[in-house]
Amino acid sequence: MKIETLAVHAGYEPDPTTKAVAVPIYQTTSYAFDSTQHGADLFDLKVEGNIYSRIMNPTTAVLEQRVTEMEGGLAALGLSSGQAATTYSLLTIAEAGDNFISTSTLYGGTYNLFAHTFPQIGIDARFADPEDIDGMAALIDDRTKAIYCESLGNPAGNIIDLQALSDMAHAHGVPVIVDNTVPSPYLNNPFKWGCDIIVHSLTKYMGGHGTIIGGVLVDSGKFDWVANKDRFRRLNEPDVSYHGVVFTEALAEAAYIGRARVVPLRNMGSAISAMTSFLALQGIETLPLRMDRVCENTLAVATHLQQHAQVDWVRYAALPDSPYKALADKYMDGRASGILSFGIKGGLEAATKFIDALGLVTRLVNIGDAKSLACHPASTTHRQLSPEEQAASGVSEDLVRLSIGIEHIDDILEDIDQALAAAK
Ligand SMILES: *Cc1c(COP(=O)(O)O)cnc(C)c1O
């Protein structure tokens, strides 16, 4: 089935007992075992079934199956936030002494996690220019566990050449982990281009209404962990934290997502709630409809701003003169989701005045809401970064980031024009 249909149906048929058509919210902590033996088999991963809602929940299972099918993967793991999904995507395979390579164009929270928190636990993030694939290859050594990138950078707006990156990574026996939050599975399917693991913040376009914090990790099931036995010992050798199970033997191609569930999630506990999974499912049903409107509105705003005398530059990959237009055509059918940034004439002062003068467009830090939103990354999301770090992540003082919603385009443009007039 096509993604518009999967978004509404995948992973659920009306419940056979109650005939509930909407996905029920299973508000329960635990699940009864049929017998002691049944409980033991569940813990040994010999039979499938529910144990405890920190590790799995039937509402969340529908969400996991739906996102899996929309991305064309093997299996998924729902988590409490996008940040938890990013953290576990790496902790499933990396430990103290290991390293991974990341493009420098990242969401601010991810940059802080990589630049500061991971090094504090002995995992080294090696940052690289996203355009320089050979430069990334040169950073790989025998303790490199993954290459990490954002398919469409937030807020930089750059698009990664996923196919070239996957080819290079696989030639070195390393998987590619890609944060696909900004395009969503409706615009980009990284597994089609060879990527191995996908991270999503459900908080953004998937949830779509600014009501939840959630995340999901999706496994393509295609990366050969066994062929790269020495690099991925945690998946190929008995795991003491899970009574000696060898994940590649017990779970075959689901080794990675299985370990993510029963080691990082079980032991560290960033579980998503059933209510959040339900709300994410509600959002996902209309993702394709909202994304069509968002892309159309954002291109109209970008084109309008490009022609405005008070605007120095506009960054939006779907614009015909964008350096990323060719990659947008290849990976996203020429579209570029709902985030655009522009440089306002008059720098920091004008940017502040512009944001303060907005009426309809809300001042906040979020993206992917049905409502149009504005923020000034240099003073908010990227505030903790040094000027050099800000520059590497694509942030400058005159940069205003807009996340365009699904309102009528005339109302959005009117608000932007009056705020630009006020910033003069
Ligand atoms: C928001 C965001 C995250 C973090 O997600 P949370 O749900 O807020 O933890 C990660 N990556 C990108 C691209 C984001 O926009």
Side-chain angles (χ1 to χ4, degrees), residues 231-313:
R231 195 183 293 277
F232 300 105
R233 288 178 30 220
R234 289 283 169 229
L235 296 176
N236 286 294
E237 291 175 11
D239 197 321
V240 283
S241 72
Y242 205 79
H243 48 82
V245 78
V246 177
F247 288 102
T248 47
E249 285 170 8
L251 300 174
E253 74 276 14
Y256 172 93
I257 202 73
R259 186 170 199 267
R261 186 184 295 279
V262 301
V263 181
L265 175 58
R266 179 172 179 246
N267 296 351
M268 286 181 259
S270 294
I272 191 170
S273 73
M275 185 68 192
T276 299
S277 294
F278 171 80
L279 290 169
L281 284 163
Q282 292 301 111
I284 287 170
E285 288 193 4
T286 57
L287 173 73
L289 286 173
R290 285 184 285 107
M291 265 299 180
D292 283 341
R293 174 68 79 91
V294 159
C295 291
E296 188 187 310
N297 276 354
T298 312
L299 184 59
V301 171
T303 309
H304 181 78
L305 285 173
Q306 251 188 341
Q307 292 154 1
H308 200 287
Q310 275 166 269
V311 172
D312 265 334
W313 52 267

Side-chain angles (χ1 to χ4, degrees), residues 86-299:
T86 298
T87 304
Y88 290 4
S89 75
L90 289 154
L91 288 185
T92 298
I93 44 179
E95 61 194 54
D98 289 339
N99 66 74
F100 65 93
I101 294 156
S102 174
T103 59
S104 58
T105 43
L106 292 171
Y107 170 67
T110 306
Y111 183 83
N112 278 325
L113 172 69
F114 290 180
H116 305 295
T117 305
F118 271 119
Q120 284 162 10
I121 57 170
I123 300 170
D124 181 27
R126 301 179 171 178
F127 291 103
D129 174 352
E131 318 288 309
D132 183 9
I133 301 228
D134 292 340
M136 278 190 242
L139 294 174
I140 296 176
D141 63 23
D142 58 4
R143 297 297 298 265
T144 302
K145 293 295 154 88
I147 297 183
Y148 190 98
C149 68
E150 288 179 11
S151 50
L152 174 48
N154 173 20
N158 61 315
I159 296 177
I160 301 294
D161 191 346
L162 296 177
Q163 190 171 26
L165 187 64
S166 303
D167 288 349
M168 180 278 282
H170 294 163
H172 291 83
V174 173
V176 174
I177 304 176
V178 47
D179 179 337
N180 199 33
T181 300
V182 176
S184 88
Y186 183 59
L187 296 182
N188 194 344
N189 292 118
F191 291 156
K192 267 204 331 217
W193 307 103
C195 299
D196 304 286
I197 308 293
I198 294 173
V199 167
H200 278 291
S201 168
L202 296 168
T203 311
K204 313 296 169 55
Y205 291 100
M206 303 274 257
H209 299 80
T211 54
I212 58 167
I213 299 282
V216 67
L217 191 54
V218 198
D219 185 352
S220 69
K222 300 250 171 71
F223 190 81
D224 195 341
W225 309 105
V226 179
N228 297 283
K229 239 188 172 79
D230 293 337
R231 195 183 293 277
F232 300 105
R233 288 178 30 220
R234 289 283 169 229
L235 296 176
N236 286 294
E237 291 175 11
D239 197 321
V240 283
S241 72
Y242 205 79
H243 48 82
V245 78
V246 177
F247 288 102
T248 47
E249 285 170 8
L251 300 174
E253 74 276 14
Y256 172 93
I257 202 73
R259 186 170 199 267
R261 186 184 295 279
V262 301
V263 181
L265 175 58
R266 179 172 179 246
N267 296 351
M268 286 181 259
S270 294
I272 191 170
S273 73
M275 185 68 192
T276 299
S277 294
F278 171 80
L279 290 169
L281 284 163
Q282 292 301 111
I284 287 170
E285 288 193 4
T286 57
L287 173 73
L289 286 173
R290 285 184 285 107
M291 265 299 180
D292 283 341
R293 174 68 79 91
V294 159
C295 291
E296 188 187 310
N297 276 354
T298 312
L299 184 59

